């Protein structure tokens, strides 16, 4: 075997020699020669020139030699397709060999030769092998179907291999079942809507039986497949859980994690008061703890998964805090992950123990770890209120060590503690100020400056401290500069007399001498504010700040749900959905946890593809017409009909969809849409049409700031990729919690839609009736007084023409859109309706509508303290009455 | 689904490369090697990604065992599989090294072909594999019982030659065809890893034991073996301890092949061991150790002169007098900026050195008999010493081995092979406890 270690490769000589050996008569010599060829191949040398000679060795009864030749073929067939055909005859012959090992070997190798021409010859042998009497051949053939599907999917469908594969799920040999399940699962992934893996209670039963008999790797395939099943009720779900639970004590951690995934998912369906639910929770803890005794690599992967599990169900591991304590010889990545979990599990019950540990960690050697430990103390203080005081004193102890990075990190977290518990721990400021000089990291400097600015009135020499920072203003990072600017303005507002000079100095540094536009802008804003209206400046700059909460570092719930469905996979290590890192169609299917028992009964198994829609964006299947109209999808529709039928006699008017974004402006994506208010929920109904040639995926939507703070309440749920010429209807629930900015016109909404191709922008206008809330009935008694109270010049008069309704019908119609008639008066054949409207932001609108019998023109007077809305309220009246 | 599997030497040479799905190019080997060598300390090496290709790897025998994938498979599956692959390679080739892999590449390709098909893992069991594998292993060295260069289970050569020919455990299992070179031997190892945290006042804060029973089997045919554990072994936290000194574990897991019908009543494991190495039982015990922790430390740290710290350590070994701890090493973190150290040790076979790079001093004791007490004085010079610097001393961490001992008290009562077993077979039972993480806070 000298060839391998030989550094100088002399192609002609070496290959010549090998050629001679390959054509030798002696079997041993031939074998050695093929071995040498493969050795060269492994180290990356090109030995494709030997193809015909190697193929010649193929017809042999020596299994070892045959295997070696096949190995070579797999590697070079692609680059020598014509030559590969030469081998076909032998393959076909080998598929009929009496020895099952050779039959399996042939069918396995043929599938690995990714040459199109070969596939034609492969079909017949494959069909035979799928029905072979030997399970070893059958299981190899099952995998071969997946291989063939990868090369030529159409062929597999045409030849009916998929049905044969489905039959193999009922095979008597568990290994065959496992491979058939694996192959079908993979094929099904590339056909998201096909019903390939037709999981029903019978097949599930078969799989569960095979689970007990097959190898550990087969168990993983089967468990992963089970995880995709939706049990039809909690009883079925419990019985599956019961049969999967024994896998938790398997020695192979991959089996354990796949079992955990199935249990976490099906547990979702069990009622929480069930005894079994509690039992299951208890059973999950020990296997998870055991995973932490594995090698560091497995530990890390386990910890990433446990991190997800404790966010979803903290009760499972709440008593196991100790196992997450860090060992001194853990690799750093394991330590950091353990620390994160410790904080997530921290509670009043165990906080003393946790703090003692964290304090120890803060004196360790590894700088990154120490920093994270100090930060963790801060997070504990924010999470567990009772411990805040102890945390602060621990941090002060750490500051006493004067270890530079510990001090800086401590100051950064103390700032957060101040934000969570204002006016509580200010006594420590003096200690902090002592360490001012040692701070050299921007984040710590910025934090310290923030503290000084925020509590300027309690720090006697605040002006001196801030002035000392000002000296090197231009050398500071942007973060520090911005903070310093704000802090000095705060100081000025608190102690205006002594600090006039200082504030002037910082304003001119920020506005005149800086290249940073953010800094300049902020400087100018402060300057204008201070010069025009110091009282307003005080209100703006010293406004009350929102408290920070411990929930900021949690994974967003919908993502968490999806990740829980992917426990034990790469997604759970990256904490990203598979669609973010798997290319192509595979993995873009978003998985969802099943709904809890009860609501689940509405779904028949056949409607299980509604599951996804049922959770996040329920009315996705609703047509964009009247809210109460019958919807598609049986049970779902009934549910909503019910909701719409209560309290809303006619339902609010929903305009038909109009085109908002033209396909030519958005690389083939056309968007039309409308807005609706259904049962108090505001929705944006969109139709996305793909007029391009390629598939669109990864849709997302965002709104610009707008007058009423409309914002998407969740991500846009486009579950399947949008293929060309396909239209998909999406209903996006909106909330009013977005940032507010007055728009022109008032009801203008600017939207950005992103997909895998680009980001597109459009604007649309929503009817103001979207914002009319259900409890908009004004007190009758005070109506008149309020009406008079609003000055006459904010009264607006409009004519609504061509309405042929009597006053009762009209007021009924208006009520459907939350315009409430609270009183009616009839004077000289003229009906006067007094109406009230309340907007989501609390603005009241009062209106008086006069209807004269026989006159199709109504007169509408609107009074409101925010007169700019009147115009748009009038538009709503017109829209509602005319439709 | 696994896309490719490759084995690289520590220098990045391609030893084995197998592509299962034809979806990634061979360049990925070099991409992987560049990534893994460029990793900085705080990045996790376990899972790495390059564009849409993800690498998962383990290091065994100084080699990189790597799998790449383009889908979203279970990293557990892949890591477990790579570990098995390494173990199987060791079983088949005798030892795990660059050389043995290079020499047996044909065998490893053959193994891989049977173990993985189109990225689906098929089997890792030697029982199944032996039906298919044709290639004979090439042993890198002629097997010799007296060759002690190969460090075995116990690390210390002196011990191993007395206890068991540990080199016997590192030879190829496959000699089924051809001459019967090996003996009919079976090794049963009880290995425990001990983690302990002792608080600053000598209070035991945390302790746990991770244990396993591992079999290495060279019997040519597989037949049932019965392993008897302590009869009074109890499992689970809830069970009350009786008045007898029961041996207790919190939780245990078993190999798939282990039959447990006699376990509940007689604590007997029944297993048909496959050839090669396998872990039949894993167990753990948290917090309630049946014995005292093996070492107690009595430290004192003082500021001496202006720039000198005195560290006086008194270390007591609480093992029974007949036992001995081996290769004891003690690491004490020292203040930043320590430049030099002088020491007073109690015997010449001990060593101590200052490692300024790690900010630590290392004290090593090759043998430490039970019941003994050793002390050492270290004088560390630290220019610019402040009182806060003294806080940087500690926590002390230790590593050691306890041969012929288990801390949990778990014992193998007997080891019986089925009478059908032909020929004389030798049975070896070995016990060892390693320190996993032994920390003493100052």
């Amino acid at each position: 075997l000298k060839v391998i270690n030989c550094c100088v490769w002399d192609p002609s000589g070496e290959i010549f020699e090998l050629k001679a050996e390959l054509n030798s008569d002696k079997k041993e010599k031939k074998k050695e020669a093929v071995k040498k060829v493969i050795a060269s191949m492994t180290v990356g040398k090109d030995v494709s020139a030997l193809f015909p000679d190697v193929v010649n060795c193929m017809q042999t009864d020596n299994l070892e030699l045959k295997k070696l030749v096949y190995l070579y073929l797999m590697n070079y067939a692609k680059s020598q397709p014509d030559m590969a055909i030469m081998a076909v005859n032998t393959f076909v012959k080998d598929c009929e060999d009496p020895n099952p090992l050779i039959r399996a070997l042939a069918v396995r190798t043929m599938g690995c030769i990714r040459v199109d021409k070969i596939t034609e010859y492969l079909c017949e042998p494959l069909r035979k092998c799928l029905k072979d009497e030997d399970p070893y051949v059958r299981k190899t053939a099952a995998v071969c179907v997946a291989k063939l599907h990868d090369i030529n999917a159409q062929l597999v469908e045409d030849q009916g291999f998929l049905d044969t594969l489905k039959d193999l799920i009922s095979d008597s040999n568990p290994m065959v079942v496992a491979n058939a399940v694996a192959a079908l699962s993979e094929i099904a992934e590339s056909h998201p809507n096909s019903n390939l893996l037709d999981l029903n209670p019978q097949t599930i039963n078969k799989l569960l039986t095979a689970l007990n008999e097959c190898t550990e790797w087969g168990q993983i395939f089967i468990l992963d497949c089970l995880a995709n099943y939706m049990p039809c009720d909690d009883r079925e779900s419990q019985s599956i859980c019961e049969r999967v639970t024994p896998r938790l004590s398997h020695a192979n951690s991959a089996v354990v994690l796949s079992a955990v995934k199935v249990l976490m998912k099906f547990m979702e369906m069990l009622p929480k008061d069930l005894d079994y639910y509690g039992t299951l929770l208890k059973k999950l803890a020990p296997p998870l703890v055991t995973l932490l005794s594995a090698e560091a690599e497995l530990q890390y992967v386990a910890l990433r998964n446990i991190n997800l599990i404790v966010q979803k169900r903290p009760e499972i591991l709440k008593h196991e805090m100790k196992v997450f304590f860090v060992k001194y010889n853990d690799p750093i990545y394991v330590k950091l992950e353990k620390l994160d979990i410790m904080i997530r599990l921290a509670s009043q019950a165990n906080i003393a123990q946790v703090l003692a540990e964290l304090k120890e960690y803060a004196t360790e050697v590894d700088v990154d770890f120490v920093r994270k430990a100090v930060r963790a103390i801060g997070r504990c203080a924010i999470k567990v209120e009772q411990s805040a005081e102890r945390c602060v004193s621990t941090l002060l102890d750490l500051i006493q060590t004067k270890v530079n990075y510990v001090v800086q990190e401590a100051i950064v977290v103390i700032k957060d503690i101040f934000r969570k518990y204002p006016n509580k721990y200010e006594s420590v400021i003096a200690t902090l100020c002592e360490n001012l000089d040692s701070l050299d990291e921007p984040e710590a400097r910025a934090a310290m400056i923030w503290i000084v600015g925020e509590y300027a009135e309690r720090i006697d020499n605040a002006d001196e401290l801030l002035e000392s920072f000002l000296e090197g203003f231009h050398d500071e990072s942007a973060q520090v500069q911005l903070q310093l600017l704000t802090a000095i303005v705060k100081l000025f507002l608190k102690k205006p007399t002594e600090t006039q000079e200082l504030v002037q100095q910082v304003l001119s540094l920020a506005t005149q001498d800086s290249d940073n536009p953010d800094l300049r802008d902020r400087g100018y804003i402060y300057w204008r504010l201070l010069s025009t209206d110091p009282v307003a400046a005080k209100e703006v700059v010293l406004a009350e700040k929102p408290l920070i909460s411990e929930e900021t570092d949690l994974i967003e719930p919908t993502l968490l749900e999806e990740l829980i469905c992917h426990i034990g996979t790469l997604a759970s290590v990256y904490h990203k959905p598979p669609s973010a890192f798997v290319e192509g169609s595979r993995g873009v299917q978003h998985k969802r946890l099943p709904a809890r028992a009860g609501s689940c009964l509405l779904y028949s198994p056949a409607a299980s593809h509604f599951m996804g829609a049922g959770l996040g964006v329920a009315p996705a299947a609703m047509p964009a017409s009247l809210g109460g109209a019958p919807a598609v999808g049986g049970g779902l529709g009934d549910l909503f009909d019910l909701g719409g039928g209560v309290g809303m006699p006619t339902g609010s008017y929903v305009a038909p969809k109009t085109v908002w974004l033209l396909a030519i402006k958005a690389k083939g994506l056309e968007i039309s849409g409308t807005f609706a208010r259904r049962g108090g929920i505001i929705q944006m109904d969109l139709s996305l049409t793909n007029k391009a040639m390629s598939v669109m995926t990864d849709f997302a939507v965002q709104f610009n700031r707008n007058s009423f703070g409309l914002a998407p309440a969740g991500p846009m749920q486009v579950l399947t990729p949008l293929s060309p010429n396909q239209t998909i209807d999406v209903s996006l629930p909106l909330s009013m919690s977005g940032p507010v900015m007055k728009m022109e016109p008032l009801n203008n909404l600017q939207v950005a839609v992103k997909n895998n191709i680009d980001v597109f922008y459009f604007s649309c206008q929503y009817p103001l009736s979207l914002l009319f809330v259900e409890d908009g009935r004004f007190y009758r008694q005070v109506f008149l007084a309020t009406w008079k109270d609003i000055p006459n010049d904010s009264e607006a008069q409009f004519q609504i023409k061509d309405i042929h309704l009597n006053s009762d019908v009209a007021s009924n119609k208006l009520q459907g859109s939350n315009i409430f008639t609270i009183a009616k008066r009839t004077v000289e054949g003229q009906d006067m309706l007094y109406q009230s409207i309340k907007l989501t932001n609390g603005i009241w609108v009062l209106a008086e509508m006069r209807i004269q019998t026989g006159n199709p023109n109504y007169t509408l007077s609107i009074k409101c303290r925010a007169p700019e809305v009147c115009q748009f309220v009038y538009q709503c009246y017109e829209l509602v009455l005319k439709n | 689904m696994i896309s490719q599997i490759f084995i690289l030497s520590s220098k990045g040479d391609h030893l084995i490369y197998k592509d299962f799905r034809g979806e990634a190019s061979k360049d990925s080997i070099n991409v992987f090697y560049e990534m893994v060598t460029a990793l900085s300390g705080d990045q996790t090496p376990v899972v790495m990604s390059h564009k849409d290709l993800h690498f998962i790897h383990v290091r065994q025998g100084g080699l990189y065992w790597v799998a790449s994938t383009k889908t979203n498979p279970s990293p557990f599956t892949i890591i477990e599989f790579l570990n098995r692959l390494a173990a199987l390679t060791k079983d088949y080739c005798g030892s795990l090294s660059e050389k043995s892999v290079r020499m047996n590449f044909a065998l490893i390709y053959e193994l891989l072909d049977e173990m993985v098909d189109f990225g689906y893992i098929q089997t890792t069991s030697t029982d199944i594999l032996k039906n298919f594998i044709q290639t004979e292993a090439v042993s890198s060295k002629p097997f010799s019982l007296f060759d002690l260069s190969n460090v075995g289970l116990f690390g210390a050569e002196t011990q191993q030659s007395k206890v068991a020919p540990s080199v016997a455990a590192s030879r190829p299992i496959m000699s089924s065809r051809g001459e019967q070179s090996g003996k009919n031997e079976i090794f049963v190892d009880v290995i425990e890893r001990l983690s302990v945290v002792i608080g600053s006042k000598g209070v035991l804060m945390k302790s746990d034991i991770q244990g396993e029973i591992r079999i290495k089997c060279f019997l040519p045919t597989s037949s049932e073996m019965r392993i008897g554990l302590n009869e009074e072994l109890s499992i689970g936290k809830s069970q009350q301890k009786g008045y007898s000194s029961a041996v207790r574990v919190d939780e245990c897991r078993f190999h798939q092949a282990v039959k447990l019908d006699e376990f509940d009543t007689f604590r007997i494991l029944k297993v048909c061991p496959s050839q090669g190495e396998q872990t039949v039982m894993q167990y753990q015990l948290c917090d309630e150790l049946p014995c005292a922790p093996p070492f107690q430390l009595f430290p004192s740290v003082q500021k001496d002169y202006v720039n000198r710290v005195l560290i006086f350590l008194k270390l007591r070994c609480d093992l029974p007098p007949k036992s001995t701890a081996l290769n004891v090493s003690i690491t004490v973190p020292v203040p930043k900026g320590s430049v030099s150290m002088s020491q007073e040790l109690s015997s010449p076979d001990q060593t101590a050195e200052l490692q300024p790079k790690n900010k630590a001093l290392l004290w090593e004791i090759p043998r430490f008999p039970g019941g003994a007490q050793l002390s050492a004085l270290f004088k560390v010079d630290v220019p610019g010493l402040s009182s806060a610097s003294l806080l940087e001393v500690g926590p002390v961490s230790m590593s050691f081995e306890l041969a012929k001992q288990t801390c949990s008290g778990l014992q193998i009562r007997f080891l019986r092979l089925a009478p059908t077993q032909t020929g004389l077979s030798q049975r070896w039972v070995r016990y060892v406890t390693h320190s996993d993480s032994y920390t003493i806070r100052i």
Side-chain angles (χ1 to χ4, degrees), chain A residues 35 42 63 67 136 139 147 179 186 216-217 250 253 290 293 322 327 329 333 568 570-571 574 583, chain B residues 21 44 52 54 72-74 80 84 105 109-110 114 117 120 122 124 132 193 210 251 256 436:
Chain A
K35 273 194 189 175
T42 305
L63 197 52
K67 278 189 160 181
Y136 180 66
K139 73 118 186 157
K147 292 178 187 168
N179 272 322
E186 188 183 349
E216 48 199 315
W217 311 106
H250 201 285
S253 63
T290 310
S293 61
K322 266 192 177 180
K327 296 179 186 169
N329 51 353
Y333 51 89
L570 273 185
Y574 291 141
E583 93 174 337
Chain B
R21 298 174 64 93
T44 50
D52 55 346
H54 310 274
N72 179 31
S74 155
E80 286 269 4
R84 298 290 174 86
F105 70 94
Y109 276 126
E110 201 184 352
E114 296 295 343
D117 192 5
Y120 307 151
Q122 301 293 311
T124 49
F132 309 125
R193 287 180 296 148
Q210 311 287 347
E251 216 237 333
Q256 175 155 324
D436 182 24

Side-chain angles (χ1 to χ4, degrees), chain A residues 693-826:
Chain A
M693 307 296 286
S694 58
V695 175
M696 295 179 180
T697 56
D698 303 328
F699 287 95
V701 67
Q702 233 176 5
F703 292 176
N704 196 354
R705 299 158 175 246
N706 53 69
S707 316
F708 293 94
L710 276 172
M716 181 152 72
Q717 307 274 355
V718 181
L719 298 179
T720 47
L722 192 58
S723 30
N725 283 323
Q726 196 193 344
T727 299
I728 196 166
D729 287 343
V730 180
S731 190
L732 184 68
L734 305 184
S735 73
M736 310 299 297
S737 55
V740 176
M741 184 173 82
K742 194 174 171 192
M743 297 296 292
E744 194 54 50
L746 203 62
N747 59 347
N748 196 17
L749 180 66
Q750 293 176 336
V751 183
V753 170
K754 181 187 107 54
N755 63 9
N756 57 335
I757 301 168
D758 206 338
V759 184
F760 310 105
Y761 302 91
F762 61 84
S763 61
C764 51
Q765 293 176 5
Y766 48 92
L768 212 62
S769 55
L770 208 58
L771 311 173
F772 296 175
V773 297
E774 277 67 23
D775 59 344
R777 211 175 266 280
F778 204 68
Y779 302 110
R780 201 168 165 168
Q781 290 79 359
V782 286
F783 185 90
L784 195 65
T786 318
W787 180 268
K788 281 184 180 156
D789 197 27
I790 300 173
N792 273 340
D793 50 8
S794 24
E795 176 176 343
Q797 281 228 355
F798 304 94
Q799 288 278 319
I800 310 173
K801 289 178 180 159
D802 272 314
I803 308 288
H804 302 278
L805 304 168
N806 71 32
S807 58
D808 287 337
V809 176
S811 77
N812 244 340
K813 244 186 159 176
L814 289 169
Q815 182 152 352
S817 292
N818 295 338
I819 300 171
F820 298 95
T821 306
I822 50 175
K824 182 179 161 189
R825 213 153 53 115
T826 313

Side-chain angles (χ1 to χ4, degrees), chain B residues 317-324 368-372 405:
Chain B
C317 179
D318 289 343
L319 291 172
K322 277 183 196 163
S323 319
T324 306
F368 202 151
Q405 274 226 330

Side-chain angles (χ1 to χ4, degrees), chain A residues 1 4-5 35-36 38-39 41-44 63-64 67-68 71 74 101 108 112 114 136 139-140 143 146-147 150 175 179 182-183 186 214-217 219-221 248-254 256-257 286-287 289-291 293-298 300-302 305 322-323 325 327-329 332-333 356-357 360-361 363-365 368 400-403 405 566 568-571 573-574 578 581-583 586, chain B residues 1 14-18 20-23 26 41-49 52 54 56-60 69-77 79-81 83-84 102-103 105-106 109-110 113-114 117-118 120-124 128 131-136 193 195 197 205-206 208 210 237 251-256 282 284 286-287 333 358-359 388 391-392 394-395 397-399 436-439 441:
Chain A
L1 289 181
I4 320 163
N5 299 323
K35 273 194 189 175
K36 284 182 198 169
I38 290 169
M41 187 175 93
T42 305
V43 292
L63 197 52
E64 190 183 352
K67 278 189 160 181
L68 289 168
L71 192 66
M74 275 188 250
L101 289 189
R108 185 171 70 207
C112 292
R114 305 174 60 83
Y136 180 66
K139 73 118 186 157
T140 313
V143 179
K147 292 178 187 168
D150 196 39
M175 196 59 211
N179 272 322
E186 188 183 349
C214 65
T215 69
E216 48 199 315
W217 311 106
Q219 295 186 7
I220 298 169
F221 293 138
L248 289 176
S249 58
H250 201 285
N252 184 328
S253 63
V256 175
L257 251 283
V289 170
T290 310
L291 288 174
S293 61
E295 302 90 337
E297 290 95 354
L298 280 175
Y300 171 74
V301 179
N305 278 286
K322 266 192 177 180
V323 299
F325 287 176
K327 296 179 186 169
Y328 78 92
N329 51 353
I332 178 73
Y333 51 89
E357 279 294 309
E360 283 294 333
Y361 301 163
T363 59
E364 286 217 9
V365 199
D368 284 335
Q400 298 303 342
T401 64
K402 306 272 180 196
V403 178
Y405 50 85
H566 288 288
T569 69
L570 273 185
V573 177
Y574 291 141
F581 60 88
V582 177
E583 93 174 337
R586 275 184 299 202
Chain B
M1 269 75 67
H14 307 181
L15 302 181
I16 296 287
Y17 165 79
K18 182 126 181 90
F20 291 100
R21 298 174 64 93
E23 54 192 9
K26 206 174 171 178
D42 55 339
Q43 283 168 302
T44 50
V46 187
V47 183
M48 298 187 295
S49 67
D52 55 346
H54 310 274
I56 297 173
H57 83 277
V58 297
R59 286 205 71 170
Q60 295 241 0
T69 175
K70 283 204 162 186
T71 52
N72 179 31
S74 155
F76 287 98
T77 313
I79 295 173
E80 286 269 4
F81 173 76
N83 283 333
R84 298 290 174 86
R102 268 191 202 280
M103 291 175 73
F105 70 94
Y109 276 126
E110 201 184 352
D113 246 346
E114 296 295 343
D117 192 5
F118 199 49
Y120 307 151
I121 300 169
Q122 301 293 311
T123 183
T124 49
I128 299 176
N131 299 323
F132 309 125
I133 300 303
Q134 309 291 327
T135 319
E136 289 269 0
R193 287 180 296 148
S195 341
V197 177
M205 296 179 68
K206 181 191 156 188
D208 64 66
Q210 311 287 347
K237 288 191 179 174
E251 216 237 333
C252 49
R253 303 197 287 177
F254 303 97
H255 190 275
Q256 175 155 324
Q282 289 165 288
Q284 60 180 357
C286 288
D287 284 339
N358 302 333
K359 293 203 299 178
L391 292 171
E392 290 181 63
S397 53
M398 292 184 63
S399 74
D436 182 24
S437 160
Y438 198 96
T439 310
R441 292 177 178 160

Side-chain angles (χ1 to χ4, degrees), chain B residues 179-194:
Chain B
E179 80 284 12
Q180 203 79 30
S181 67
K183 288 185 201 153
N184 286 344
E185 286 182 310
I186 186 154
F187 297 83
V188 177
D189 297 331
V190 181
I191 302 163
E192 293 190 346
R193 287 180 296 148
L194 178 68

Side-chain angles (χ1 to χ4, degrees), chain B residues 96-256:
Chain B
L96 207 55
S97 67
E98 188 178 336
K99 197 172 165 201
S100 64
V101 170
R102 268 191 202 280
M103 291 175 73
N104 289 293
F105 70 94
L107 173 64
I108 296 173
Y109 276 126
E110 201 184 352
L111 279 171
L112 272 176
D113 246 346
E114 296 295 343
M115 289 164 77
V116 184
D117 192 5
F118 199 49
Y120 307 151
I121 300 169
Q122 301 293 311
T123 183
T124 49
S125 144
T126 44
D127 279 341
I128 299 176
L129 285 169
K130 73 178 173 198
N131 299 323
F132 309 125
I133 300 303
Q134 309 291 327
T135 319
E136 289 269 0
V138 187
S139 201
S140 56
K141 266 177 252 159
F143 167 60
S144 152
L145 211 114
F146 306 101
D147 185 357
L148 292 176
S149 66
N150 210 328
V151 174
L153 189 66
F154 293 157
E157 278 89 330
T158 47
Q159 283 292 318
Q160 69 175 10
S161 49
K162 271 185 223 157
V163 180
S166 86
V167 111
S170 59
R171 61 183 156 98
I173 52 159
M174 288 302 289
S175 43
S176 49
R177 283 164 294 118
E179 80 284 12
Q180 203 79 30
S181 67
K183 288 185 201 153
N184 286 344
E185 286 182 310
I186 186 154
F187 297 83
V188 177
D189 297 331
V190 181
I191 302 163
E192 293 190 346
R193 287 180 296 148
L194 178 68
S195 341
V196 168
V197 177
I198 298 175
S200 49
K201 293 182 184 74
V203 198
L204 186 61
M205 296 179 68
K206 181 191 156 188
S207 58
D208 64 66
I209 296 170
Q210 311 287 347
E212 59 184 31
I213 300 177
R214 210 187 279 166
I215 298 185
K216 177 121 187 176
C217 170
F218 292 103
L219 304 178
T221 52
S222 140
S223 66
E224 192 172 83
M225 184 170 82
R226 288 150 56 88
I227 305 173
L229 307 180
N230 318 39
E231 249 171 317
E232 71 274 23
L233 175 71
S234 69
I235 292 160
K237 288 191 179 174
S238 54
Q239 288 187 21
Q240 276 293 320
K241 265 197 268 181
Y243 291 104
S244 66
S245 56
V247 177
R248 193 182 64 85
V249 299
D250 287 342
E251 216 237 333
C252 49
R253 303 197 287 177
F254 303 97
H255 190 275
Q256 175 155 324

